[in-house]
């Protein structure tokens, strides 16, 4: 295995989670907000063709073959009456300590030493947290310091059709990036150490919550694939300094290629064989940040997002977008997909805002159903384990499937030079962005980090507010100041707002309690998994770096 220096004692699960069905059954869902009712399909990545109700019943996909993607008709009544269930007054409310216990269960914070022996860091530290909606959660997160090069890596990963692909990418991608950034001499040193059986240089220092486990069973397989990659980098040595953007793109593409290859080759170990197939047939989007001094690179594949929080001269907060969603709302992305396939396929490439009418993100890891030829899919399925061969979805070929691959894991990379007014970075899966606008995210995090959120005037946004309602808002803010409501983690604070905000933009404890009390089968109908990393920058170091460059 690859040696690492961890910022905490290693705590790995003794066993992998029980295998889930490769592709969970997909259903339509509904969100009931305080002021409006929005119809929403939670499994938006592998989704039905229509995400809203028609005349009181669910719309079916027109193709008969799609019937395998949906829950049996006899179970539909349960979901049709979900709105009635949700609108029924609940007698049970979580207490503030119980709410805090749920919100803080997965929070993690790390403070970066100002000087690590090599460089002065532009990162003060980061907070991260996750709130599940799926069981088990399909999101993953990662954070690590590069030990043989400079900089930090942070990323969020949104899985679909299960968590297998997101789990694998969260474990492996940073190693591929770190190896891509290593100079030729260091790669040779690592390879020679492996050949001679000596201890390897640690490449990454991981910063992990105890729940962020590594798959011990697959570590040897993953190591062998990574070693093959660095051996090829050694053979291709050009003698030039590695460009960060190029390294990020190469790492993303190579890992996705290895995921595909491992599934094709298989493994004599039945558990590993099933694992690599689960990884390949599920999918994951990724949004990764590499921070080195004033150089910030964002590599994004899919629809998770990166946003920069900027403090203006008057103290207000603004948001700078550092990634673009790869979906049907991105016209450039739609054009890219169309250009990669014959003109005769143009009408069928994007239907109902989904790739081939099925997949929401236009870029993702895994998802070999959208990358392999029909012949290859059939061969792998027929020679695979019974769990795979008996799964209806894996045997289903997407409609109008003529010129694969239709999907890529190649990231879009954006480079930004940090400035003293750039105070923080937010990386988050789409579970956050579906509930909050980036400007609200910038304001809430900015005010939290500067400690002024308790002193701001209460804004009611044009609503007519009675004296009693205003009294309630003031009482609520006074309660938030108390220690029971005070968050020590910026990501937790953001999740509290994302789930509990009312129409006035303040956290409503009753609403928050209700949302966190929902049983698993309903929670996924109201929201998605939420994973957030908030990175705080050191403005003094950034300013000093800027002055040195002038």
């Amino acid at each position: 295995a690859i040696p690492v220096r961890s910022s905490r004692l290693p705590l790995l699960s003794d066993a992998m989670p029980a295998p889930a069905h490769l592709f969970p059954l997909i259903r339509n869902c509904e969100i009931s907000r305080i002021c409006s009712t929005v119809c929403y399909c939670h499994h938006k990545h592998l989704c039905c063709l229509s995400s809203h109700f028609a005349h009181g019943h669910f719309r079916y996909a027109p193709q008969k073959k799609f019937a395998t993607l949906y829950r049996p008709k006899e179970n539909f009544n349960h979901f049709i009456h979900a709105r009635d269930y949700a609108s029924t007054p609940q007698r049970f409310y979580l207490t503030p300590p119980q709410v805090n216990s749920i919100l803080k269960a997965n929070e993690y914070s790390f403070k970066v030493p100002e000087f690590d022996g090599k460089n002065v860091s532009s990162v003060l530290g980061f907070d991260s947290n996750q709130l599940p909606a799926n069981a088990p959660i399909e999101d993953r997160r990662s954070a690590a310091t590069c030990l043989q090069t400079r900089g930090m890596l942070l990323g969020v990963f949104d899985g679909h059709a299960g968590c297998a692909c997101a789990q694998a990418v969260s474990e492996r991608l940073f190693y591929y990036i770190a190896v891509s950034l290593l100079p030729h001499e260091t790669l040779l040193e690592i390879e020679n150490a492996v050949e001679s059986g000596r201890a390897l240089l640690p490449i990454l220092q991981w910063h992990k919550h105890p729940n962020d486990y590594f798959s011990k069973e697959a570590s040897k397989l993953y190591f062998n694939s990574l070693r093959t990659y660095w051996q090829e980098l050694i053979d291709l040595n050009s003698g030039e300094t590695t460009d960060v953007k190029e390294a990020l793109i190469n790492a993303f593409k190579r890992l996705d290629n290895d995921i595909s290859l491992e599934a094709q080759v298989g493994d004599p170990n039945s558990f590993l064989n099933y694992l690599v197939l689960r990884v390949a047939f599920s999918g994951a989007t990724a949004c990764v940040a590499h921070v080195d001094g004033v150089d910030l690179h964002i590599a994004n594949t899919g629809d998770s997002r990166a946003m920069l929080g900027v403090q203006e001269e008057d103290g207000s907060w603004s948001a700078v977008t550092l990634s673009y969603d790869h979906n049907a709302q991105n016209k450039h992305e739609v054009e890219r997909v169309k250009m990669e396939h014959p003109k005769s396929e143009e009408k069928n490439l994007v239907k109902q805002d989904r790739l081939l009418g099925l997949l929401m993100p236009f870029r993702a890891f895994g998802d070999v159903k959208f990358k392999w030829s029909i012949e290859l899919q059939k061969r792998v399925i027929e020679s695979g384990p019974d769990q795979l061969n008996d799964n209806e979805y894996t045997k289903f070929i997407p409609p109008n499937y003529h010129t694969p691959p239709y999907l890529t894991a190649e990231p879009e990379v954006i480079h930004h030079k940090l400035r003293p007014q750039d105070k923080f970075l937010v990386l988050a899966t789409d579970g956050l962005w579906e509930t909050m606008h980036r400007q609200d995210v910038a304001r809430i995090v900015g005010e939290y980090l500067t400690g002024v959120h308790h002193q701001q005037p209460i804004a009611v946004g044009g609503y007519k507010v009675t004296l009693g309602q205003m009294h309630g808002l003031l009482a609520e803010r006074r309660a938030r100041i108390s220690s029971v409501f005070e968050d020590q983690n910026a990501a937790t604070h953001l999740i509290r707002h994302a789930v509990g905000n009312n129409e006035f933009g303040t956290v409503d404890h009753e609403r928050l309690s209700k949302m966190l009390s929902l049983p698993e089968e309903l929670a996924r109908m109201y929201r998605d998994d939420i994973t957030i990393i908030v990175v705080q920058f050191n403005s003094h170091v950034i300013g000093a770096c800027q002055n040195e460059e002038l």
Side-chain angles (χ1 to χ4, degrees):
I2 303 167
V4 298
R5 189 173 74 210
S6 177
S7 58
R8 64 170 186 82
L9 292 175
L11 180 57
L12 302 174
S13 62
D14 293 328
M16 289 286 290
H21 293 297
L22 277 172
F23 282 79
L25 296 170
I26 297 166
R27 65 189 180 204
N28 285 336
C29 311
E30 178 185 71
I31 295 180
S32 296
R33 304 290 292 188
I34 289 180
C35 297
S36 63
T37 299
V38 181
C39 295
Y40 164 72
C41 185
H42 169 71
H43 284 285
K44 66 273 174 203
H45 294 111
L46 277 163
C47 194
C48 50
L49 295 184
S50 178
S51 60
H52 43 88
F53 292 87
H55 307 296
H57 63 275
F58 292 107
R59 289 185 182 175
Y60 288 83
Q63 290 90 344
K64 274 189 175 181
K65 291 181 180 179
F66 283 179
T68 57
L69 300 179
Y70 297 84
R71 292 187 178 275
K73 290 184 180 179
E74 59 267 25
N75 290 340
F76 274 16
N77 287 337
H78 172 74
F79 297 104
I80 291 173
H81 295 298
R83 183 177 179 181
D84 296 335
Y85 178 95
S87 61
T88 302
Q90 296 189 19
R91 299 177 181 177
F92 172 73
Y93 295 101
L94 298 172
T95 65
Q98 290 172 325
V99 167
N100 281 345
S101 178
I102 294 171
L103 291 179
K104 297 182 178 184
N106 297 310
E107 70 178 10
Y108 178 81
S109 297
F110 180 74
K111 301 304 178 186
V112 177
E114 187 172 349
F115 184 69
D116 62 5
K118 295 186 296 183
N119 308 289
V120 177
S121 177
S122 58
V123 176
L124 285 172
F126 71 87
D127 294 333
S128 71
N129 202 350
Q130 294 183 300
L131 183 66
N134 292 287
I137 185 171
E138 294 180 342
D139 282 5
R140 294 293 186 272
R141 58 183 166 176
S142 292
T145 300
C146 298
L147 297 178
Q148 300 306 318
T149 55
R150 305 195 320 173
M152 285 190 71
L153 288 165
L154 308 105
V156 294
F157 312 94
D158 189 350
H160 48 266
C163 62
C165 189
Q167 174 63 36
V169 174
S170 71
E171 294 182 34
R172 305 176 68 180
L173 182 57
F174 285 9
Y175 280 119
Y176 280 71
I177 295 173
V179 165
S180 300
L181 290 168
L182 290 176
H184 183 253
E185 296 75 16
T186 307
L187 290 173
L188 281 174
E189 187 176 348
I190 293 175
E191 175 59 22
N192 291 334
V194 175
E195 283 287 341
S196 61
R198 292 185 284 110
L200 301 185
L201 291 170
I203 298 175
L204 295 172
Q205 177 184 359
W206 290 95
H207 313 299
K208 302 179 74 65
H209 186 278
N211 292 344
D212 302 334
Y213 65 90
F214 270 24
S215 172
K216 292 188 294 184
E217 293 84 356
S219 60
K220 184 177 180 180
L221 171 68
Y222 292 169
F223 175 81
N224 289 336
S225 294
L226 181 66
R227 184 185 180 190
T228 301
Y229 178 44
W230 81 52
Q231 288 173 336
E232 293 179 14
L233 291 177
I234 291 173
D235 294 338
L236 295 172
N237 174 44
S238 63
E240 298 178 1
T241 303
T242 305
D243 176 71
V244 175
K245 179 178 180 178
E246 182 182 357
L248 289 167
I249 293 174
N250 291 342
F252 273 62
K253 292 170 66 176
R254 179 54 183 249
L255 174 56
D256 191 55
N257 183 73
D258 284 353
I259 287 172
S260 175
L261 187 61
E262 289 160 2
Q264 294 175 48
V265 173
D267 193 282
N269 180 301
S270 59
F271 176 84
L272 279 180
N273 193 40
Y274 184 51
L275 174 63
V276 296
L277 289 167
R278 285 176 57 215
V279 170
F281 276 89
S282 59
T285 66
C287 189
V288 171
H290 179 266
V291 190
D292 179 10
V294 296
D295 291 304
L296 170 62
H297 287 83
I298 302 294
N300 183 55
T301 289
D303 53 9
S304 293
R305 295 180 190 172
M307 184 217 77
L308 197 64
V310 180
Q311 188 169 33
E312 306 296 345
E313 291 184 1
D314 63 357
S316 63
W317 295 93
S318 62
V320 175
T321 299
L322 291 180
S323 66
Y324 300 100
D325 293 352
H326 298 133
N327 55 28
Q329 279 64 54
N330 185 335
K331 293 182 180 179
H332 297 292
E333 193 67 6
V334 173
E335 287 304 313
R336 178 191 64 81
V337 172
K338 289 180 178 180
M339 288 178 62
E340 293 177 355
H341 299 276
K343 188 77 173 177
S344 59
E345 293 189 58
E346 188 171 302
K347 292 182 179 180
N348 297 315
L349 287 172
V350 180
K351 285 189 172 182
Q352 299 293 323
D353 288 344
R354 290 167 177 82
L355 188 65
L356 298 181
L358 290 175
L359 195 64
M360 181 68 88
F362 288 7
R363 304 192 194 193
F365 286 90
D367 284 323
V368 294
K369 294 290 295 179
F370 299 86
K371 297 173 181 176
W372 287 356
S373 68
I374 294 176
E375 294 73 20
L376 178 58
Q377 291 188 42
K378 289 181 177 178
R379 178 177 66 80
V380 170
I381 291 170
E382 289 171 0
S383 62
D386 292 339
Q387 300 102 312
L388 186 73
N389 201 31
D390 293 341
N391 187 285
E392 290 296 327
Y393 185 79
T394 58
K395 292 188 290 187
F396 168 73
I397 302 299
N400 305 300
Y401 196 82
H402 305 298
T403 56
Y406 290 90
L407 191 67
T408 179
E410 180 173 342
E412 185 175 14
V413 180
I414 292 178
H415 175 233
H416 176 81
K417 282 280 188 181
L418 291 172
R419 308 158 298 174
Q421 62 265 38
D422 299 333
K423 301 299 183 181
F424 60 88
L425 172 72
V426 176
L427 301 172
T429 55
D430 61 351
L432 172 68
W433 310 112
E434 287 166 354
T435 61
M436 298 190 72
H437 189 274
R438 63 179 181 274
Q439 187 57 47
D440 293 327
V441 170
R443 176 184 56 81
I444 289 170
V445 175
E447 291 177 357
Y448 169 82
L449 293 176
T450 54
V452 301
H453 52 295
H454 297 312
Q455 287 76 46
Q456 293 294 320
I458 290 181
V460 295
Y463 288 93
K464 292 182 179 180
V465 181
T466 66
L467 186 61
Q469 288 174 321
M470 180 57 72
H471 180 269
L473 292 172
L474 290 169
E476 182 183 315
R477 183 165 74 175
R478 185 168 59 250
R480 288 202 307 272
I481 299 175
S482 68
S483 59
V484 71
F485 276 99
E486 194 64 37
D487 295 315
Q488 303 300 317
N489 182 296
T492 304
H493 188 70
L494 197 49
I495 290 176
R496 189 185 298 274
H497 277 268
V499 178
N501 264 10
N502 58 21
E503 65 267 40
F504 303 116
T506 60
V507 176
D508 181 335
H509 175 72
E510 182 176 321
R511 173 180 172 78
L512 183 60
S513 174
K514 285 181 178 180
M515 292 295 286
L516 296 179
S517 302
L518 290 173
E520 290 177 358
E521 65 271 16
L522 284 182
R524 295 192 300 175
M525 302 175 71
Y526 279 77
R527 60 175 177 82
D528 197 356
D529 297 329
I530 301 175
T531 298
I532 301 171
I533 299 177
V534 179
V535 185
Q536 192 172 1
F537 296 120
N538 190 328
S539 299
H540 299 295
V541 171
I542 292 171
C545 292
Q546 273 191 338
N547 294 333
E548 289 178 5
E549 293 180 357
L550 296 176

